Amino acid sequence: MGMVVSPNAPEEKFPGLEVLMSEEPKREQWASRIGLVLAMAGNAVGLGNFLRFPAQAVKNGGGAFLIPYMVAFLLLGLPLMWIEWTMGRYGGQFGHHSTPGIFDSMGKRRYWKYLGVFGLWSNLVIAAFYLYIEAWCIAYAGYSLVDGFRETLPGDFYKSLTADSDTSILTISGFGLSMFAVCIALNVGILSRGLSKGIEIVSEIGMPLLIVFAAILAARGLMVSPENDPHAVASPFEGLNFVWEPRFDSLTNPNVWLAAAGQIFFTLAIGMGSMHCYSSYLRKDDDVTLNGATGAWTNELCEVVLGGTILIPIAVAYLGLSAVQEKVAGGSGFGLGFMVFPTLFNHWGSLAPAAGFFWFGLLFFAAITSSLAMGQPIMAFLQDEFRFSREKSALAFGVMLIPLALPVAIFNQKSFFDEFDYWAGTFCLVVMAIGEAVLFAWVFGIDRGWAEMMRGADLKVPRFFYWVMKYVTPTLLIVILLASMFEPKVGWDGYVAAATSGKPIPAWDWSSNSMVGKLLHYDLPLKANATPDEVAFNKNLKIVRTVDRLAMVAAFAGFAWLIFVAWKGRTTEEDITVP
């Protein structure tokens, strides 16, 4: 029988432990530092950089949005980035490459590994709808290249691809399903090749091409002018100035701060477990501070500089600022990117096919470098805990994905698609981030965590972040989660106006976009004069939403059961958790 070591047992009492931990098992590793950084950046750089960020900036005051955005990046983004890199590298020394094992290696109680379920579950559920959008990018890129949007409206092409409808629960498109299948097969095939021969190669090709495509579009877009283009109604610099010019009029609006924090989560892929997984393949003394910061800065380059210079300036040049604000008022930039941009590129004459291909090509590269990062943690879990081969684990990921992905493609997007996006892609990311921040700073201990982070560091992180990680980041995360659940019945603008004028504070209610609001279907209001068809659609939609929530619960329970089985079968030597 081996010896079970308590998490708090001092190392010197077990002379054989140092030898045991120093004998690092053979495992996959990154082939190069640049490959690691590009893979990490590719994990973070996604559709949100080029579609969601510009729309969020427009909806939240343009330049006013950038101030809370940068504050959120400083107090949430960078600290959590370093926390996840450090946790991943630490857990990797024990052969753990997914969050259940990584959290278990750092926690003092056995239940911490079950928090790690989020690092598997979120990736699977997000991939189920994210790969669907990725398939659209492939289809749009190919159709743009043959100049198809010269004759076909983007909206008509989109309907042929998705069978989208405002009145039908079932939306089945053979074309869309076939593209979806191709996309799933492509991801599974790349993942089966491993880190260095699969993910790293795609990142080393995809990320530079993405930046080149974006730079070309940004430069060409800024050349549009009413003086040389009869279709232009304004200068693109009007849109650029709106995004970049500092404003302070929206800083008292809590919605702007919540939106900024939400965008940081969305864009950096925090709370998903993919960053833990990628960094777990580092060696014990490999740098995490400079690598982590470089990945974050690369993401910000793609988002703020490139993303902020393409969508809004070009759209403003041809539509005008007020029209653009109206189009993104209730959306996330999707409408502009997929429904409007192909038409705008037609004004570029012979360059239109290439411009459309570049635009949807960069969206595809942004998407696939992120989707590969969603599959890797699940595969790593199966390889570590069940000794699956690389190929078998990739196939298992595909098999797990299909039952969730298929309903996304065949049901109305207000059901599985939107629900997966909210629960896995928004709400649960914050929940997991709160858990990992508390685990790192208060359970593992901020002193141990800081020492672990700074070991082998090529970048000396200012001591300021020690206190941020311990107090500010966990507190802000909890405040954000709670603040997102409630809203004044008169809206935040009305609340701020009342509070600043000394008038009675208005009544509060559950936010329609909060956890409780979603469960109560506040986001599915029915008009007083709704037609019988609209009433029936609303009723059926609520039924389908109940089904998709049960599917998510079942997937979560399935991963929890796999973790229970894996840990139940561990040998006593594998129970050693802390060096």
Side-chain angles (χ1 to χ4, degrees):
M1 294 292 290
M3 180 179 294
V4 180
V5 180
S6 165
N8 297 314
E11 191 171 309
E12 60 270 16
K13 291 185 179 181
F14 304 96
L17 179 58
E18 184 177 352
V19 176
L20 175 63
M21 300 311 300
S22 65
E23 292 178 355
E24 185 175 326
K26 292 182 179 180
R27 58 191 176 114
E28 287 191 284
Q29 290 183 339
W30 299 100
S32 65
R33 184 169 186 169
I34 186 64
L36 165 64
V37 171
L38 288 176
M40 280 290 196
N43 168 36
V45 174
L47 298 172
N49 295 68
F50 300 98
L51 295 177
R52 194 176 190 272
F53 170 77
Q56 288 294 317
V58 169
K59 288 194 293 184
N60 292 283
F65 177 74
L66 288 181
I67 297 173
Y69 175 85
M70 291 302 177
V71 171
F73 178 72
L74 182 68
L75 300 181
L76 292 176
L78 273 178
L80 286 169
M81 179 79 72
W82 283 321
I83 285 174
E84 293 196 355
W85 273 73
T86 304
M87 295 175 81
R89 186 185 66 176
Y90 180 84
Q93 307 313 307
F94 304 93
H96 298 302
H97 303 96
S98 60
T99 49
I102 292 169
F103 288 4
D104 186 58
S105 70
M106 303 186 76
K108 298 177 181 180
R109 297 289 185 270
R110 293 182 177 182
Y111 55 72
W112 280 108
K113 61 180 174 288
Y114 291 105
L115 175 68
V117 172
F118 285 109
L120 304 175
W121 176 84
S122 294
N123 282 289
L124 184 67
V125 176
I126 293 172
F129 74 86
Y130 201 84
L131 284 171
Y132 194 35
I133 305 176
E134 193 175 301
W136 301 348
C137 296
I138 297 176
Y140 267 83
Y143 204 63
S144 296
L145 193 59
V146 298
D147 207 14
F149 292 111
R150 186 76 66 180
E151 303 294 336
T152 304
L153 291 175
D156 293 337
F157 182 75
Y158 176 74
K159 287 184 178 180
S160 71
L161 185 63
T162 65
D164 185 46
S165 171
D166 292 330
T167 58
S168 176
I169 291 295
L170 284 175
T171 54
I172 302 175
S173 164
F175 175 36
L177 285 172
S178 62
M179 295 303 300
F180 198 12
V182 168
C183 202
I184 292 174
L186 179 62
N187 277 261
V188 170
I190 294 172
L191 286 169
S192 69
R193 292 177 57 84
L195 287 180
S196 60
K197 295 181 180 179
I199 296 174
E200 191 168 345
I201 289 177
V202 171
S203 300
E204 289 177 343
I205 296 173
M207 285 301 296
L209 282 177
L210 180 155
I211 293 173
V212 169
F213 286 0
I216 292 173
L217 287 172
R220 177 61 181 85
L222 293 177
M223 293 170 61
V224 175
S225 169
E227 298 177 359
N228 56 35
D229 190 334
H231 301 285
V233 298
S235 167
F237 288 96
E238 183 179 339
L240 192 64
N241 290 339
F242 179 77
V243 173
W244 279 95
E245 185 178 348
R247 293 180 178 87
F248 304 95
D249 53 318
S250 298
L251 295 184
T252 57
N253 189 338
N255 266 351
V256 176
W257 290 88
L258 288 174
Q263 179 61 26
I264 287 296
F265 269 90
F266 194 91
T267 187
L268 291 179
I270 292 169
M272 288 181 61
S274 51
M275 208 175 306
H276 301 87
C277 178
Y278 275 12
S279 58
S280 69
Y281 293 99
L282 292 171
R283 299 174 184 84
K284 183 178 180 180
D285 294 318
D286 282 349
D287 165 77
V288 296
T289 57
L290 182 58
N291 283 335
T294 302
W297 295 332
T298 303
N299 177 78
E300 294 309 299
L301 166 69
C302 292
E303 178 157 293
V304 179
V305 178
L306 296 177
T309 312
I310 299 175
L311 190 70
I312 300 306
I314 294 176
V316 167
Y318 289 112
L319 303 174
L321 180 59
S322 59
V324 171
Q325 288 177 299
E326 182 179 345
K327 285 184 178 295
V328 302
S332 61
F334 171 84
L336 275 180
F338 282 88
M339 304 300 184
V340 177
F341 249 43
T343 300
L344 301 185
F345 288 142
N346 287 337
H347 301 319
W348 291 7
S350 60
L351 292 177
F357 177 77
F358 284 173
W359 170 244
F360 292 110
L362 78 86
L363 291 183
F364 169 72
F365 284 125
I368 194 170
T369 50
S370 295
S371 63
L372 291 174
M374 297 171 196
Q376 178 60 29
I378 297 170
M379 293 174 55
F381 172 73
L382 296 174
Q383 289 177 277
D384 292 344
E385 313 305 341
F386 295 96
R387 301 296 185 262
F388 278 26
S389 66
R390 183 83 201 180
E391 294 76 12
K392 187 177 179 180
S393 62
L395 182 60
F397 168 66
V399 171
M400 290 180 181
L401 184 64
I402 290 174
L404 295 174
L406 188 59
V408 168
I410 66 176
F411 283 100
N412 191 286
Q413 290 179 24
K414 293 180 180 179
S415 59
F416 281 82
F417 189 103
D418 285 352
E419 287 279 280
F420 286 2
D421 186 10
Y422 172 75
W423 291 105
T426 303
F427 176 75
C428 287
L429 300 189
V430 180
V431 172
M432 180 168 166
I434 292 173
E436 69 183 17
V438 171
L439 173 59
F440 181 84
W442 293 94
V443 178
F444 187 70
I446 189 62
D447 290 325
R448 291 178 65 198
W450 185 265
E452 176 69 23
M453 183 179 77
M454 296 305 295
R455 191 179 69 246
D458 293 332
L459 172 67
K460 187 175 181 180
V461 178
R463 189 71 175 179
F464 163 77
F465 284 100
Y466 173 98
W467 304 107
V468 170
M469 290 176 178
K470 185 173 183 179
Y471 297 109
V472 180
T473 300
T475 302
L476 275 180
L477 289 170
I478 294 171
V479 169
I480 289 169
L481 184 64
L482 295 177
S484 67
M485 291 189 179
F486 307 95
E487 65 181 3
K489 288 188 175 181
V490 295
W492 281 108
D493 290 337
Y495 174 81
V496 172
T500 55
S501 63
K503 295 180 180 179
I505 301 299
W508 291 68
D509 199 354
W510 297 110
S511 170
S512 61
N513 292 318
S514 71
M515 175 187 69
V516 178
K518 288 280 187 179
L519 291 175
L520 296 175
H521 300 299
Y522 279 18
D523 59 326
L524 295 177
L526 195 61
K527 297 181 295 184
N529 59 345
T531 66
D533 287 343
E534 290 173 334
V535 172
F537 175 76
N538 191 274
K539 180 180 179 181
N540 292 332
L541 183 56
K542 290 178 180 178
I543 294 174
V544 175
R545 279 195 169 187
T546 301
V547 175
D548 66 49
R549 289 167 186 176
L550 290 174
M552 285 187 280
V553 171
F556 192 94
F559 277 123
W561 178 77
L562 288 175
I563 290 171
F564 173 78
V565 171
W567 261 256
K568 185 178 180 181
R570 283 182 177 276
T571 64
T572 51
E573 284 186 353
E574 289 173 314
D575 287 330
I576 297 172
T577 56
V578 177

